[in-house]
Amino acid sequence: MTSASEKLPRQPRCILITGGAGFIGSNFVHHWCNNYPEDRVVVLDALTYAGNYKNLAPLAGHKNFRFVQGDICNRPMVEALFKEEPIDTVAHFAAESHVDRSILGPDAFVRTNVVGTFTLLDSFRHHWEHQGALENFRFLHVSTDEVYGSLGPDDAGFSETTPYAPNSPYSASKAGSDHLARAYYHTYGMPTLITNCSNNYGPYHFPEKLIPLMCINILLGKSLPVYGDGQNIRDWLYVEDHCRALDVVINQGQPGETYNIGGNNEVKNIDLVNKLCELMNELAPELPVRPAQELITFVKDRPGHDRRYAIDASKIQTELGWTPAETVEGGLRRTIEWYLTHRDWWQPLLSEEYQAYYQKVYA
Ligand code: NAD
Ligand code: TYD
């Protein structure tokens, strides 16, 4: 007999990770495989420009790991996957994720983020109902703080009850997908969980986003484009801390709930870029331009650019005991070391398609 105080053994899960070849998704796949080697992990990823199978290469051939290249909007394929694999948990990362691309071409954002999320939710609902609507099933929808809009300088950070006010096609499409995930809990009782996180950084971050873009441009001696006056503020969280937060939400979170995740690290863009230059001057053995600060260039602002994001993460801290472990200084050093030692990862990503995108945004 087991006494109430004794911990029952953990039941292995079969987890479907969508977008697992992207930045946060691949960090999460490694986190999950390291921490739960008894679980089966199935990754579904379309390998768009942002997806990279190399991020998962060390897992190839593991008996508990399967990679499927496919689109979350493809319902027959998604349904077949739920039939083939005994999936009880979904961690849904797949998305179009870059604000600047959403301004150039919003169509893909509505398709993947809204229609794709709906396709996954509805296919999972049928699968869950078919299995007897078991209580241990979970659908984690990974979202962003950008759905809450922009804060004034003295406003309190976003909490789980802050009204939605998305300002870009990216954040509006993520807001739509959050509402669908919420509705599936309220209407069907499906055990969905939603997380809204601030800006992540760390290994495997695609070159177009602020931190990798600045690191790579410093290494190449290219100008460092800072939008507008550089006074916009973002909260930064090291990606490993995000993965730990998502782990506790899956394992201990209450279905139907939303959890905000943040690093408590608000930084102005220009201060962040200066810090990256300072660290690069210290850590990079050779730089085409030194000090790297000479490369900083103020460029035309992003249309509709949100001024400030900040997160009130007290709910996940008090209810689930999660707190970020990494400091900005420590996380940036680790990130820079990673880009310095992984040229073979990022150099091929600066493709013709990438250069054409770069021209459109920065010309
Ligand atoms: P990413 O762009 O690096 O990766 C997205 C992944 O999804 C890629 O591997 C891509 O191939 C895949 N994908 C895109 N469309 C697909 C489709 N139709 N079908 C299947 N796969 C598809 O994104 P990321 O930065 O890792 O973000 C992951 C999730 O976390 C997103 O939902 C994003 O909104 C959210 N988020 C990101 C941040 C951040 O700072 N990056 C912060 C908070 C929340
Ligand atoms: P980004 O990494 O695109 O994340 P998000 O827009 O989702 O917060 O950008 C972070 C901040 O950096 C944002 O305020 C826009 C700014 N930024 C620049 O100033 N220059 C750049 O070249 C990029 C890509 C971003």
Side-chain angles (χ1 to χ4, degrees):
M1 225 167 77
T2 324
S3 77
S5 60
E6 247 178 282
K7 225 176 156 190
L8 290 168
R10 178 181 179 277
Q11 285 297 338
R13 289 183 186 276
C14 177
I15 184 167
L16 174 69
I17 303 177
T18 71
F23 162 47
I24 306 174
S26 59
N27 278 282
F28 183 78
V29 171
H30 291 297
H31 168 94
W32 203 269
C33 292
N34 289 336
N35 285 278
Y36 306 109
E38 68 284 10
D39 285 8
R40 180 157 178 76
V41 172
V42 180
V43 171
L44 173 62
D45 197 298
L47 296 182
T48 66
Y49 79 94
N52 192 341
Y53 181 72
K54 272 191 201 163
N55 301 0
L56 304 173
L59 295 164
H62 282 219
K63 70 175 176 13
N64 275 343
F65 176 77
R66 177 177 171 198
F67 178 79
V68 179
Q69 183 173 0
D71 188 330
I72 56 166
C73 299
N74 180 347
R75 183 150 186 159
M77 185 275 301
V78 171
E79 283 180 352
L81 204 50
F82 284 129
K83 288 206 179 85
E84 283 164 30
E85 297 281 352
I87 293 160
D88 51 42
T89 306
V90 174
H92 174 37
F93 295 85
E96 289 293 335
S97 70
H98 190 36
V99 174
D100 292 326
R101 286 197 192 243
S102 84
I103 296 167
L104 293 172
D107 317 41
F109 287 73
V110 174
R111 183 182 176 276
T112 289
N113 300 359
V114 182
V115 180
T117 301
F118 160 72
T119 306
L120 266 182
L121 282 166
D122 206 52
S123 306
F124 187 70
R125 174 170 75 88
H126 287 288
H127 167 67
W128 169 69
E129 285 172 348
H130 191 70
Q131 303 292 315
L134 295 172
E135 276 181 21
N136 65 322
F137 276 46
R138 291 288 179 273
F139 187 108
L140 169 69
H141 174 63
V142 180
S143 192
T144 166
D145 59 355
E146 303 191 23
V147 297
Y148 298 118
S150 185
L151 292 168
D154 301 320
D155 291 342
F158 303 126
S159 80
E160 291 78 2
T161 55
T162 302
Y164 274 38
N167 289 320
S168 71
Y170 164 62
S171 54
S173 65
K174 290 297 289 185
S177 62
D178 292 12
H179 292 323
L180 284 167
R182 176 190 155 89
Y184 269 66
Y185 173 75
H186 284 274
T187 305
Y188 305 110
M190 197 172 100
T192 61
L193 299 139
I194 301 169
T195 54
N196 296 93
C197 187
S198 57
N199 286 56
N200 282 220
Y201 67 103
Y204 303 120
H205 208 176
F206 191 81
E208 68 193 356
K209 302 281 174 73
L210 180 72
I211 289 180
L213 184 132
M214 295 297 164
C215 291
I216 291 170
N217 282 13
I218 293 172
L219 290 172
L220 300 177
K222 286 181 67 177
S223 70
L224 308 179
V226 175
Y227 294 158
D229 60 5
Q231 299 296 307
N232 303 64
I233 293 172
R234 296 291 182 266
D235 172 57
W236 293 95
L237 181 69
Y238 192 63
V239 64
E240 266 178 20
D241 280 327
H242 189 193
C243 293
R244 280 193 305 106
L246 300 176
D247 180 334
V248 297
V249 170
I250 289 173
N251 283 306
Q252 301 164 44
Q254 274 297 322
E257 291 292 318
T258 290
Y259 298 91
N260 282 2
I261 304 168
N264 216 8
N265 285 316
E266 281 185 61
V267 190
K268 284 183 187 152
N269 289 344
I270 186 63
D271 294 342
L272 182 68
V273 174
N274 270 306
K275 183 75 198 168
L276 286 168
C277 291
E278 201 184 287
L279 289 171
M280 274 289 187
N281 293 336
E282 177 196 329
L283 298 171
E286 279 169 40
L287 287 180
V289 176
R290 190 187 287 275
Q293 284 86 340
E294 284 176 14
L295 296 167
I296 294 175
T297 314
F298 289 91
V299 298
K300 191 167 157 275
D301 208 354
R302 170 190 279 175
H305 194 179
D306 284 337
R307 197 67 176 164
R308 174 177 167 238
Y309 302 144
I311 284 272
D312 171 358
S314 50
K315 179 173 170 181
I316 187 169
Q317 289 177 3
T318 52
E319 292 185 13
L320 306 182
W322 173 87
T323 48
E326 192 52 274
T327 59
V328 183
E329 169 90 21
L332 289 179
R333 279 180 182 274
R334 289 171 75 183
T335 305
I336 287 174
E337 295 284 9
W338 194 87
Y339 281 88
L340 284 174
T341 51
H342 289 77
R343 250 179 203 268
D344 58 333
W345 182 86
W346 56 260
Q347 223 145 18
L349 301 178
L350 311 180
S351 60
E352 251 174 58
E353 191 280 331
Y354 181 76
Q355 301 305 338
Y357 156 80
Y358 202 93
Q359 275 301 315
K360 270 193 213 153
V361 176
Y362 299 100

